[in-house]
Coordinates of all heavy atoms in Angstrom, one line a residue:
Chain A
S56 N -9.1 30.4 -22.3 CA -7.9 31.0 -22.7 C -6.7 30.2 -22.1 O -5.7 29.8 -22.7 CB -7.7 32.4 -22.2 OG -8.8 33.1 -22.8
L57 N -6.9 29.9 -20.8 CA -5.8 29.2 -20.0 C -5.6 27.8 -20.6 O -4.3 27.5 -20.7 CB -6.2 29.1 -18.5 CG -6.1 30.4 -17.8 CD1 -6.7 30.2 -16.4 CD2 -4.6 30.8 -17.6
L58 N -6.6 27.0 -20.9 CA -6.4 25.7 -21.5 C -5.8 25.7 -22.7 O -4.9 24.9 -23.1 CB -7.8 25.0 -21.5 CG -8.5 24.6 -20.1 CD1 -9.7 23.8 -20.4 CD2 -7.6 23.8 -19.2
K59 N -6.2 26.7 -23.6 CA -5.6 26.8 -24.9 C -4.1 27.1 -24.8 O -3.2 26.5 -25.5 CB -6.3 27.9 -25.7 CG -7.6 27.6 -26.1 CD -7.8 26.5 -27.1 CE -8.4 26.9 -28.4 NZ -8.6 25.8 -29.2
F60 N -3.7 27.9 -23.8 CA -2.3 28.3 -23.6 C -1.6 27.1 -23.1 O -0.5 26.8 -23.6 CB -2.2 29.4 -22.5 CG -0.8 29.9 -22.3 CD1 -0.4 30.9 -23.0 CD2 0.0 29.2 -21.3 CE1 1.0 31.4 -22.8 CE2 1.3 29.7 -21.1 CZ 1.8 30.8 -21.9
Y61 N -2.2 26.3 -22.2 CA -1.5 25.1 -21.7 C -1.2 24.1 -22.9 O -0.2 23.5 -23.0 CB -2.3 24.5 -20.6 CG -1.8 24.9 -19.3 CD1 -2.2 26.2 -18.7 CD2 -0.8 24.2 -18.5 CE1 -1.8 26.6 -17.5 CE2 -0.4 24.7 -17.3 CZ -0.8 25.9 -16.8 OH -0.3 26.3 -15.6
L62 N -2.3 24.0 -23.8 CA -2.2 23.0 -24.8 C -1.1 23.5 -25.9 O -0.2 22.8 -26.3 CB -3.5 22.9 -25.5 CG -4.5 22.1 -24.7 CD1 -5.9 22.2 -25.2 CD2 -4.1 20.5 -24.6
N63 N -1.3 24.8 -26.3 CA -0.5 25.4 -27.4 C 0.9 25.7 -27.0 O 1.9 25.9 -27.9 CB -1.2 26.5 -28.1 CG -2.5 26.1 -28.6 OD1 -2.7 25.0 -28.9 ND2 -3.5 27.0 -28.7
T64 N 1.2 26.1 -25.7 CA 2.5 26.5 -25.3 C 3.1 25.6 -24.3 O 4.2 25.2 -24.6 CB 2.3 28.0 -24.8 OG1 1.6 28.8 -25.6 CG2 3.7 28.5 -24.4
V65 N 2.5 25.3 -23.2 CA 3.1 24.6 -22.1 C 3.3 23.2 -22.5 O 4.4 22.6 -22.7 CB 2.3 24.7 -20.8 CG1 3.0 23.9 -19.8 CG2 2.1 26.2 -20.3
F66 N 2.2 22.5 -22.8 CA 2.3 21.0 -23.1 C 3.1 20.8 -24.4 O 4.0 19.9 -24.5 CB 1.0 20.4 -23.3 CG 0.3 20.3 -21.9 CD1 -1.1 20.1 -21.9 CD2 0.9 20.4 -20.7 CE1 -1.8 20.1 -20.7 CE2 0.3 20.3 -19.5 CZ -1.2 20.2 -19.5
K67 N 2.9 21.6 -25.4 CA 3.5 21.5 -26.7 C 5.1 21.6 -26.5 O 5.8 20.7 -27.1 CB 3.0 22.6 -27.5 CG 3.5 22.4 -29.0 CD 2.9 23.5 -29.9 CE 3.6 23.8 -31.1 NZ 3.3 25.0 -31.8
N68 N 5.5 22.6 -25.7 CA 7.0 22.7 -25.6 C 7.6 21.9 -24.5 O 8.8 21.8 -24.5 CB 7.3 24.2 -25.4 CG 6.9 25.0 -26.6 OD1 7.4 24.8 -27.7 ND2 5.9 26.0 -26.4
Y69 N 6.8 21.5 -23.6 CA 7.2 20.7 -22.4 C 7.7 19.3 -22.8 O 8.3 18.6 -22.2 CB 6.2 20.8 -21.4 CG 6.7 20.2 -20.0 CD1 7.3 21.1 -19.1 CD2 6.5 18.9 -19.7 CE1 7.8 20.5 -17.9 CE2 7.0 18.4 -18.4 CZ 7.6 19.2 -17.6 OH 8.1 18.8 -16.3
H70 N 7.0 18.9 -24.0 CA 7.1 17.6 -24.5 C 8.6 17.0 -24.4 O 8.8 15.9 -24.1 CB 6.6 17.6 -26.0 CG 6.1 16.2 -26.4 ND1 7.0 15.3 -27.0 CD2 5.0 15.7 -26.1 CE1 6.2 14.2 -27.2 NE2 5.1 14.3 -26.7
S71 N 9.6 17.9 -24.7 CA 10.9 17.4 -24.8 C 11.5 17.0 -23.5 O 12.4 16.2 -23.4 CB 11.7 18.6 -25.3 OG 11.6 19.7 -24.4
K72 N 10.9 17.6 -22.3 CA 11.4 17.2 -21.1 C 11.0 15.9 -20.4 O 11.3 15.3 -19.5 CB 11.0 18.2 -20.1 CG 11.4 19.6 -20.4 CD 11.0 20.6 -19.5 CE 11.5 22.1 -19.7 NZ 13.1 22.0 -19.7
I73 N 9.8 15.3 -21.1 CA 9.0 14.2 -20.5 C 10.0 13.0 -20.2 O 9.9 12.5 -19.2 CB 7.8 13.9 -21.3 CG1 6.9 15.1 -21.3 CG2 7.1 12.7 -20.7 CD1 5.9 15.0 -22.3
A74 N 10.6 12.7 -21.2 CA 11.5 11.5 -21.2 C 12.4 11.6 -20.0 O 12.4 10.6 -19.2 CB 12.2 11.2 -22.5
K75 N 13.0 12.7 -19.9 CA 14.0 12.9 -18.8 C 13.3 12.8 -17.5 O 13.8 12.1 -16.5 CB 14.6 14.3 -18.9 CG 15.8 14.6 -18.0 CD 16.4 15.8 -18.4 CE 15.9 17.0 -17.5 NZ 16.5 18.3 -17.9
F76 N 12.1 13.3 -17.3 CA 11.4 13.3 -16.0 C 10.4 12.2 -15.8 O 9.8 12.0 -14.8 CB 10.6 14.7 -15.9 CG 11.4 15.9 -15.9 CD1 10.7 17.1 -16.3 CD2 12.7 15.9 -15.6 CE1 11.5 18.2 -16.3 CE2 13.4 17.0 -15.5 CZ 12.8 18.2 -15.9
K77 N 10.4 11.2 -16.8 CA 9.5 10.0 -16.7 C 8.2 10.4 -16.3 O 7.6 9.8 -15.3 CB 10.1 9.1 -15.7 CG 11.5 8.5 -16.1 CD 12.0 7.4 -15.1 CE 13.4 7.0 -15.5 NZ 14.4 8.1 -15.3
T78 N 7.5 11.4 -17.0 CA 6.1 11.7 -16.5 C 5.2 11.7 -17.8 O 4.3 12.5 -17.9 CB 6.2 13.2 -16.0 OG1 6.9 14.0 -17.0 CG2 6.8 13.3 -14.7
L79 N 5.6 10.8 -18.6 CA 4.7 10.7 -20.0 C 3.3 10.5 -19.7 O 2.4 11.0 -20.2 CB 5.4 9.7 -20.9 CG 4.6 9.6 -22.2 CD1 4.6 10.8 -23.0 CD2 5.3 8.5 -23.2
K80 N 3.0 9.5 -18.9 CA 1.6 9.0 -18.6 C 0.8 10.1 -18.1 O -0.3 10.4 -18.6 CB 1.7 7.8 -17.7 CG 0.5 7.0 -17.7 CD 0.7 5.6 -17.1 CE -0.6 4.9 -16.9 NZ -1.1 5.0 -15.5
S81 N 1.4 10.8 -17.1 CA 0.6 11.9 -16.5 C 0.3 13.0 -17.5 O -0.7 13.5 -17.7 CB 1.5 12.5 -15.4 OG 1.7 11.7 -14.4
F82 N 1.4 13.3 -18.3 CA 1.4 14.4 -19.3 C 0.3 14.1 -20.3 O -0.5 14.9 -20.6 CB 2.8 14.4 -19.8 CG 2.9 15.5 -21.0 CD1 3.2 16.8 -20.6 CD2 2.7 15.1 -22.3 CE1 3.3 17.8 -21.6 CE2 2.8 16.2 -23.3 CZ 3.0 17.4 -23.0
S83 N 0.3 12.9 -20.8 CA -0.7 12.6 -21.9 C -2.0 12.7 -21.4 O -3.0 13.2 -22.0 CB -0.4 11.2 -22.4 OG 1.0 11.0 -22.7
S84 N -2.2 12.1 -20.2 CA -3.7 12.1 -19.6 C -4.2 13.6 -19.4 O -5.2 13.9 -19.7 CB -3.7 11.4 -18.2 OG -4.9 11.5 -17.6
L85 N -3.2 14.4 -18.8 CA -3.6 15.8 -18.7 C -3.8 16.5 -20.0 O -4.9 17.2 -20.1 CB -2.5 16.6 -18.0 CG -2.5 16.3 -16.4 CD1 -1.2 16.9 -15.8 CD2 -3.7 17.0 -15.7
A86 N -3.0 16.3 -20.9 CA -3.1 17.0 -22.1 C -4.4 16.6 -22.9 O -5.2 17.4 -23.4 CB -1.8 16.7 -23.1
N87 N -4.7 15.3 -22.9 CA -5.9 14.8 -23.6 C -7.1 15.4 -22.9 O -8.1 15.8 -23.6 CB -5.9 13.3 -23.5 CG -4.8 12.7 -24.5 OD1 -4.4 13.4 -25.4 ND2 -4.2 11.6 -24.2
N88 N -7.1 15.4 -21.6 CA -8.3 15.9 -20.8 C -8.4 17.3 -21.1 O -9.6 17.8 -21.3 CB -8.2 15.6 -19.3 CG -8.8 14.2 -19.0 OD1 -9.9 14.1 -18.8 ND2 -7.8 13.3 -18.7
F89 N -7.4 18.1 -21.2 CA -7.4 19.6 -21.4 C -8.0 19.8 -22.9 O -8.8 20.7 -23.1 CB -6.2 20.1 -21.3 CG -5.8 20.6 -19.8 CD1 -6.3 19.9 -18.8 CD2 -4.8 21.6 -19.5 CE1 -6.0 20.3 -17.5 CE2 -4.5 21.9 -18.3 CZ -5.2 21.3 -17.2
L90 N -7.5 18.9 -23.8 CA -8.1 19.1 -25.1 C -9.5 18.8 -25.3 O -10.3 19.6 -25.9 CB -7.3 18.0 -26.0 CG -7.4 18.2 -27.5 CD1 -6.9 19.6 -28.0 CD2 -6.6 17.0 -28.3
V91 N -10.0 17.8 -24.6 CA -11.4 17.5 -24.6 C -12.3 18.8 -24.0 O -13.2 19.2 -24.6 CB -11.8 16.2 -23.8 CG1 -13.2 16.1 -23.5 CG2 -11.2 15.0 -24.5
I92 N -11.8 19.2 -22.9 CA -12.5 20.3 -22.2 C -12.5 21.5 -23.1 O -13.6 22.1 -23.4 CB -11.9 20.6 -20.8 CG1 -12.0 19.4 -19.9 CG2 -12.6 21.8 -20.3 CD1 -11.3 19.5 -18.6
A93 N -11.3 21.9 -23.6 CA -11.1 23.1 -24.4 C -12.0 23.0 -25.6 O -12.7 23.9 -26.0 CB -9.7 23.3 -24.8
S94 N -12.1 21.8 -26.3 CA -12.9 21.8 -27.4 C -14.5 21.8 -27.3 O -15.1 22.2 -28.1 CB -12.5 20.4 -28.1 OG -12.9 19.3 -27.2
K95 N -14.7 21.5 -26.0 CA -16.2 21.5 -25.7 C -16.7 22.9 -25.3 O -17.9 23.2 -25.2 CB -16.5 20.4 -24.7 CG -16.5 19.1 -25.2 CD -17.0 18.1 -24.0 CE -17.0 16.5 -24.6 NZ -17.4 15.7 -23.5
L96 N -15.8 23.7 -24.8 CA -16.0 25.0 -24.4 C -16.4 26.0 -25.5 O -15.6 26.0 -26.5 CB -14.9 25.7 -23.6 CG -14.6 25.1 -22.2 CD1 -13.2 25.6 -21.7 CD2 -15.6 25.5 -21.3
Q97 N -17.5 26.6 -25.6 CA -17.9 27.5 -26.7 C -18.2 28.9 -26.1 O -19.3 29.3 -25.9 CB -19.2 27.0 -27.3 CG -19.0 25.6 -27.8 CD -18.1 25.4 -28.9 OE1 -17.9 26.3 -29.7 NE2 -17.5 24.2 -29.2
P98 N -17.2 29.7 -25.7 CA -17.4 31.0 -25.2 C -18.3 31.9 -26.1 O -18.1 31.9 -27.3 CB -16.0 31.5 -25.0 CG -15.0 30.5 -25.2 CD -15.7 29.4 -26.0
S99 N -19.2 32.5 -25.6 CA -20.2 33.3 -26.4 C -19.4 34.4 -27.0 O -18.6 35.1 -26.4 CB -21.3 33.8 -25.5 OG -21.9 34.9 -26.0
K100 N -19.9 34.8 -28.3 CA -19.3 35.9 -29.0 C -20.3 37.1 -29.1 O -20.1 38.1 -29.7 CB -18.9 35.5 -30.4 CG -17.6 34.5 -30.4 CD -17.1 34.3 -31.8 CE -15.8 33.4 -31.7 NZ -15.8 32.2 -30.8
D101 N -21.3 37.0 -28.2 CA -22.3 38.1 -28.2 C -21.6 39.5 -27.8 O -20.8 39.5 -26.9 CB -23.5 37.9 -27.2 CG -24.3 36.7 -27.7 OD1 -24.0 36.3 -28.9 OD2 -25.2 36.2 -26.9
K102 N -22.2 40.5 -28.4 CA -21.6 41.8 -28.1 C -21.9 42.3 -26.6 O -21.0 42.8 -26.0 CB -22.3 42.9 -29.1 CG -21.6 42.8 -30.4 CD -21.8 44.2 -31.1 CE -21.2 44.2 -32.6 NZ -21.8 43.1 -33.3
D103 N -23.1 41.8 -26.1 CA -23.3 42.2 -24.7 C -22.4 41.5 -23.8 O -22.5 41.7 -22.5 CB -24.8 42.0 -24.4 CG -25.3 40.6 -24.7 OD1 -24.4 39.6 -24.7 OD2 -26.5 40.4 -25.1
M104 N -21.7 40.4 -24.2 CA -20.7 39.8 -23.2 C -19.3 40.4 -23.3 O -18.4 39.9 -22.8 CB -20.6 38.3 -23.6 CG -21.8 37.5 -23.4 SD -22.3 37.5 -21.7 CE -21.3 36.0 -21.2
L105 N -19.1 41.5 -24.1 CA -17.8 42.0 -24.5 C -17.1 42.5 -23.2 O -16.0 42.1 -22.9 CB -18.0 43.3 -25.4 CG -16.6 43.9 -25.9 CD1 -16.0 42.8 -26.7 CD2 -16.9 45.1 -26.8
S106 N -17.8 43.1 -22.2 CA -17.1 43.6 -21.1 C -16.6 42.5 -20.2 O -15.5 42.4 -19.7 CB -18.0 44.5 -20.2 OG -19.0 43.7 -19.8
I107 N -17.4 41.5 -20.2 CA -17.0 40.2 -19.4 C -15.8 39.5 -20.0 O -14.8 39.2 -19.4 CB -18.2 39.2 -19.3 CG1 -19.3 39.9 -18.3 CG2 -17.8 37.8 -18.8 CD1 -20.5 39.1 -18.2
S108 N -15.9 39.4 -21.3 CA -14.7 38.7 -22.0 C -13.4 39.5 -21.9 O -12.3 38.9 -21.7 CB -15.0 38.6 -23.5 OG -15.2 39.7 -24.2
E109 N -13.6 40.8 -21.9 CA -12.4 41.7 -21.8 C -11.8 41.5 -20.4 O -10.6 41.6 -20.2 CB -12.7 43.2 -22.1 CG -12.8 43.5 -23.6 CD -13.2 44.8 -23.9 OE1 -13.8 45.6 -22.9 OE2 -13.2 45.3 -25.1
S110 N -12.6 41.4 -19.3 CA -12.2 41.3 -18.0 C -11.4 40.0 -17.9 O -10.3 39.9 -17.3 CB -13.4 41.3 -17.0 OG -12.9 40.9 -15.8
A111 N -12.0 38.9 -18.5 CA -11.2 37.7 -18.5 C -9.9 37.8 -19.3 O -9.0 37.2 -18.8 CB -12.2 36.6 -19.2
H112 N -9.9 38.5 -20.4 CA -8.7 38.7 -21.1 C -7.7 39.4 -20.3 O -6.5 39.0 -20.3 CB -9.0 39.4 -22.4 CG -7.9 39.5 -23.2 ND1 -7.3 38.4 -23.9 CD2 -7.0 40.5 -23.7 CE1 -6.2 38.7 -24.6 NE2 -6.0 40.0 -24.5
R113 N -8.0 40.3 -19.5 CA -7.0 41.1 -18.6 C -6.5 40.2 -17.6 O -5.3 40.2 -17.4 CB -7.8 42.2 -18.0 CG -8.0 43.5 -18.8 CD -8.3 44.7 -18.0 NE -9.7 44.6 -17.3 CZ -10.8 44.8 -17.8 NH1 -10.8 45.2 -19.1 NH2 -11.9 44.6 -17.2
R114 N -7.2 39.3 -17.1 CA -6.7 38.3 -16.1 C -5.7 37.4 -16.8 O -4.6 37.1 -16.2 CB -7.9 37.5 -15.5 CG -8.8 38.2 -14.6 CD -10.0 37.4 -14.2 NE -11.0 37.9 -13.5 CZ -11.0 38.0 -12.0 NH1 -10.0 37.6 -11.4 NH2 -12.0 38.6 -11.4
F115 N -6.1 36.9 -18.0 CA -5.3 36.0 -18.7 C -4.0 36.7 -19.1 O -2.8 36.1 -18.9 CB -6.0 35.5 -20.0 CG -5.2 34.7 -20.9 CD1 -4.7 33.5 -20.4 CD2 -4.8 35.1 -22.2 CE1 -3.9 32.6 -21.2 CE2 -4.1 34.3 -22.9 CZ -3.6 33.1 -22.6
M116 N -4.0 38.0 -19.4 CA -2.8 38.7 -19.8 C -1.8 38.8 -18.5 O -0.5 38.8 -18.7 CB -3.1 40.0 -20.3 CG -3.8 40.0 -21.7 SD -3.0 38.8 -22.9 CE -1.4 39.6 -23.1
L117 N -2.3 38.8 -17.4 CA -1.5 38.9 -16.2 C -0.7 37.6 -16.1 O 0.5 37.7 -15.9 CB -2.3 39.1 -14.9 CG -2.9 40.4 -14.5 CD1 -3.8 40.2 -13.2 CD2 -1.7 41.3 -14.2
F118 N -1.3 36.5 -16.5 CA -0.7 35.2 -16.4 C 0.3 35.2 -17.6 O 1.5 34.9 -17.4 CB -1.8 34.1 -16.6 CG -1.2 32.7 -16.9 CD1 -0.6 32.1 -15.9 CD2 -1.1 32.2 -18.2 CE1 0.1 30.8 -16.1 CE2 -0.6 31.0 -18.5 CZ 0.0 30.3 -17.4
C119 N 0.0 35.7 -18.8 CA 1.0 35.7 -19.9 C 2.2 36.5 -19.7 O 3.3 36.1 -19.9 CB 0.2 36.1 -21.2 SG -0.9 34.9 -21.8
R120 N 1.9 37.6 -19.0 CA 3.1 38.6 -18.8 C 4.0 37.9 -17.8 O 5.2 37.9 -17.9 CB 2.5 39.8 -18.2 CG 3.1 41.1 -18.9 CD 2.3 42.4 -18.5 NE 1.1 42.5 -19.2 CZ -0.1 42.9 -18.6 NH1 -0.2 43.0 -17.2 NH2 -1.1 43.0 -19.2
A121 N 3.5 37.3 -16.7 CA 4.4 36.6 -15.8 C 5.2 35.6 -16.5 O 6.3 35.4 -16.2 CB 3.5 36.1 -14.6
F122 N 4.5 34.8 -17.3 CA 5.2 33.7 -18.0 C 6.3 34.2 -18.9 O 7.5 33.7 -18.8 CB 4.1 33.0 -18.9 CG 4.6 31.7 -19.6 CD1 4.6 30.5 -19.0 CD2 5.2 31.7 -20.9 CE1 5.0 29.3 -19.6 CE2 5.7 30.7 -21.4 CZ 5.6 29.4 -20.8
K123 N 6.0 35.3 -19.6 CA 7.1 35.8 -20.5 C 8.2 36.5 -19.9 O 9.3 36.7 -20.4 CB 6.4 36.8 -21.6 CG 5.6 36.0 -22.6 CD 4.8 36.8 -23.6 CE 4.0 35.8 -24.6 NZ 2.7 36.3 -24.9
Q124 N 7.9 36.9 -18.6 CA 9.1 37.6 -17.9 C 10.1 36.6 -17.5 O 11.2 37.0 -17.0 CB 8.4 38.4 -16.7 CG 7.9 39.7 -17.0 CD 7.1 40.2 -15.8 OE1 6.9 39.7 -14.8 NE2 6.4 41.4 -16.2
M125 N 9.7 35.3 -17.5 CA 10.7 34.3 -17.1 C 11.5 33.7 -18.2 O 11.1 33.7 -19.4 CB 10.0 33.1 -16.4 CG 9.3 33.5 -15.1 SD 8.6 32.1 -14.4 CE 10.0 31.1 -13.8
D126 N 12.6 33.0 -17.9 CA 13.3 32.3 -18.9 C 12.4 31.1 -19.3 O 11.6 30.6 -18.5 CB 14.5 31.6 -18.2 CG 15.0 30.4 -19.0 OD1 15.6 30.5 -20.1 OD2 14.7 29.3 -18.6
T127 N 12.3 30.9 -20.7 CA 11.3 30.0 -21.2 C 11.2 28.6 -20.6 O 10.2 28.2 -20.2 CB 11.5 29.9 -22.8 OG1 11.4 31.2 -23.3 CG2 10.3 29.1 -23.3
E128 N 12.5 28.1 -20.5 CA 12.5 26.7 -19.9 C 11.9 26.7 -18.5 O 11.2 25.9 -18.1 CB 13.9 26.3 -19.9 CG 14.6 26.0 -21.2 CD 13.9 24.8 -22.0 OE1 13.8 23.6 -21.4 OE2 13.4 25.0 -23.1
A129 N 12.4 27.6 -17.7 CA 11.9 27.7 -16.3 C 10.3 27.9 -16.3 O 9.7 27.4 -15.4 CB 12.6 28.8 -15.5
A130 N 9.9 28.7 -17.2 CA 8.5 29.1 -17.2 C 7.7 27.8 -17.5 O 6.6 27.6 -16.9 CB 8.2 30.2 -18.2
L131 N 8.1 27.0 -18.4 CA 7.4 25.9 -18.8 C 7.3 24.9 -17.6 O 6.2 24.4 -17.3 CB 8.2 25.2 -20.0 CG 8.1 25.8 -21.4 CD1 9.1 25.0 -22.2 CD2 6.6 25.8 -21.9
V132 N 8.4 24.7 -17.0 CA 8.4 23.8 -15.7 C 7.5 24.4 -14.7 O 6.6 23.6 -14.1 CB 9.8 23.7 -15.2 CG1 9.8 22.9 -13.8 CG2 10.7 22.9 -16.2
K133 N 7.5 25.7 -14.5 CA 6.7 26.3 -13.4 C 5.2 26.2 -13.8 O 4.4 25.9 -13.1 CB 7.1 27.8 -13.3 CG 6.4 28.4 -12.2 CD 6.9 29.8 -11.9 CE 8.1 29.8 -10.9 NZ 7.8 29.3 -9.6
A134 N 4.9 26.5 -15.1 CA 3.5 26.4 -15.5 C 3.0 25.0 -15.4 O 1.8 24.8 -14.8 CB 3.4 26.9 -16.9
F135 N 3.8 24.0 -15.7 CA 3.3 22.6 -15.6 C 3.1 22.3 -14.0 O 2.1 21.7 -13.6 CB 4.3 21.6 -16.1 CG 3.8 20.3 -16.4 CD1 4.4 19.4 -17.2 CD2 2.7 19.7 -15.7 CE1 3.9 18.1 -17.5 CE2 2.2 18.5 -15.9 CZ 2.9 17.6 -16.8
G136 N 4.0 22.8 -13.2 CA 3.9 22.6 -11.8 C 2.7 23.3 -11.1 O 2.4 23.0 -10.0
E137 N 2.1 24.3 -11.8 CA 1.0 25.0 -11.3 C -0.3 24.5 -11.7 O -1.4 25.0 -11.5 CB 1.1 26.4 -11.6 CG 2.2 27.1 -10.8 CD 2.2 28.6 -10.9 OE1 1.2 29.1 -11.5 OE2 3.2 29.3 -10.3
V138 N -0.3 23.3 -12.5 CA -1.6 22.7 -13.0 C -2.6 22.4 -11.7 O -3.8 22.5 -11.8 CB -1.3 21.4 -13.7 CG1 -2.6 20.5 -13.8 CG2 -0.9 21.7 -15.1
D139 N -2.0 22.1 -10.6 CA -2.8 21.9 -9.4 C -3.6 23.1 -8.9 O -4.7 23.2 -8.5 CB -2.1 21.4 -8.2 CG -0.8 22.2 -7.7 OD1 -0.7 23.2 -8.5 OD2 -0.1 21.9 -6.8
I140 N -3.0 24.3 -9.2 CA -3.6 25.6 -8.9 C -4.8 25.8 -9.9 O -5.9 26.2 -9.5 CB -2.7 26.8 -9.0 CG1 -1.5 26.7 -8.0 CG2 -3.4 28.1 -8.9 CD1 -0.5 27.7 -8.1
L141 N -4.6 25.4 -11.1 CA -5.6 25.5 -12.1 C -6.7 24.6 -11.9 O -7.9 25.0 -11.9 CB -5.0 25.3 -13.5 CG -5.9 25.4 -14.7 CD1 -6.5 26.8 -14.8 CD2 -5.1 25.0 -15.9

Side-chain angles (χ1 to χ4, degrees):
Chain A
S56 303
L57 288 169
L58 293 184
K59 294 292 242 187
F60 184 90
Y61 265 84
L62 288 165
N63 301 332
T64 306
V65 179
F66 291 160
K67 185 175 158 194
N68 295 298
Y69 190 86
H70 205 266
S71 57
K72 298 178 178 306
I73 293 165
K75 188 171 96 181
F76 297 155
K77 300 189 182 61
T78 50
L79 178 58
K80 197 161 173 264
S81 298
F82 178 85
S83 313
S84 176
L85 279 170
N87 292 331
N88 272 283
F89 275 25
L90 189 60
V91 166
I92 298 169
S94 61
K95 289 183 178 179
L96 286 168
Q97 308 289 337
S99 158
K100 292 186 168 50
D101 290 355
K102 282 203 179 55
D103 51 27
M104 295 291 277
L105 190 60
S106 66
I107 289 176
S108 66
E109 281 174 349
S110 168
H112 186 66
R113 279 193 298 275
R114 291 175 185 272
F115 175 62
M116 290 317 295
L117 278 176
F118 169 75
C119 284
R120 226 169 284 133
F122 185 91
K123 285 174 179 141
Q124 278 164 3
M125 290 184 71
D126 159 77
T127 305
E128 290 294 308
L131 287 172
V132 171
K133 183 171 278 297
F135 195 161
E137 291 192 2
V138 161
D139 54 358
I140 297 174
L141 182 56

